[in-house]
Amino acid sequence: MYRSDTREKTVQMNEVTAQARSCLNCALGQTRKNVVIGSGSLDAKIVLVGEAPGRKEDESGLPFVGSAGKLLDGLLEAAGLVRDEIFIGNILKCRPPGNRRPKKSEVESCEGYLMRQLEIIKPKVIAPMGNSALAYFQSRHDIGGDVIGDAHGRVYEVETSWGKVKLMPLYHPAAAIYRRHLLGDLEKDMKKLAEL
Ligand code: URA
């Protein structure tokens, strides 16, 4: 990767960030404290995609910094992945009040941002975490309609504007906070992801 490519990616991502920061496409623009655009390397080979910012993320403007984030950090470390070398983002860039599930209309209002981010980063592997993120990719690619409990840990090959990409769904880390038995699957899947 030439340095100029990385500079160009930074310029493009800054444009997406500026657009998102002034976005009022849906009502979440009225209640957010911060837009959470995502964080990590723009040259990342792996992009993890969560659902939407929670309270801590809304306050800080950074993804996965609350309790789900702490769990995610541990999983990444155990799998030998360095957080700064991957990219972590969300389907929604603004927090749904009370952390409710995103509405379909909110996902539709926000979808262009994630799409643009992926086109800029051009990852080789994308890991949707949880059912909402999985549904986002199912609606764009012909990968069936399995729920996360069946789809996690499977590798789907999809065609994108920047070439073939491996999609590997994971349980959402927050799911393992309350359902500890999912932790083993998450650990196993994260290691498999690192090996891809
Ligand atoms: N849950 C998510 O899906 N995303 C975050 O950024 C934090 C918690």
Side-chain angles (χ1 to χ4, degrees):
M1 174 79 48
Y2 295 113
R3 272 238 204 82
S4 58
D5 286 346
T6 307
R7 254 204 311 270
E8 181 60 23
K9 284 179 169 201
T10 305
V11 170
Q12 291 172 347
M13 193 63 90
N14 287 347
E15 277 168 18
V16 176
T17 305
Q19 281 164 12
R21 284 195 177 139
S22 59
C23 181
L24 292 172
N25 286 352
C26 78
L28 300 182
Q30 316 279 356
T31 51
R32 69 169 175 243
K33 289 192 178 123
N34 282 293
V35 165
V36 181
I37 198 74
S39 70
S41 168
L42 300 188
D43 296 326
K45 302 250 181 314
I46 301 176
V47 171
L48 301 186
V49 181
E51 181 178 281
R55 186 172 57 80
K56 289 253 164 66
E57 290 77 22
D58 184 44
E59 282 165 4
S60 64
L62 294 168
F64 284 94
V65 290
S67 45
K70 300 270 172 311
L71 204 139
L72 179 60
D73 286 346
L75 290 165
L76 291 174
E77 198 182 334
L81 291 169
V82 177
R83 186 167 166 147
D84 288 347
E85 291 175 1
I86 63 174
F87 190 90
I88 304 179
N90 282 304
I91 303 289
L92 291 194
K93 309 306 183 198
C94 299
R95 182 192 185 210
N99 294 353
R100 62 162 169 72
R101 291 285 290 275
K103 294 179 187 167
K104 192 162 174 269
S105 60
E106 291 162 351
V107 174
E108 283 165 4
S109 299
C110 214
E111 64 187 348
Y113 294 113
L114 179 61
M115 227 183 285
R116 188 80 193 98
Q117 289 180 297
L118 293 172
E119 283 165 3
I120 293 168
I121 299 170
K122 302 181 173 54
K124 300 259 185 267
V125 181
I126 301 174
M129 299 188 292
N131 273 316
S132 294
L134 175 59
Y136 176 95
F137 290 97
Q138 284 170 336
S139 70
R140 278 154 193 82
H141 301 284
D142 190 16
I143 57 170
D146 284 338
V147 293
I148 198 72
D150 296 322
H152 78 90
R154 286 199 204 147
V155 180
Y156 302 84
E157 202 150 281
V158 299
E159 202 57 64
T160 68
S161 61
W162 63 96
K164 279 196 174 31
V165 168
K166 291 188 166 79
L167 264 186
M168 190 182 141
L170 302 174
Y171 279 117
H172 192 290
I177 295 176
Y178 302 105
R179 288 180 281 158
R180 295 309 280 191
H181 64 281
L182 300 181
L183 204 50
D185 279 337
L186 248 177
E187 284 167 353
K188 205 166 82 198
D189 293 346
M190 195 62 88
K191 286 191 180 132
K192 183 169 171 186
L193 182 77
E195 281 157 17
L196 288 181

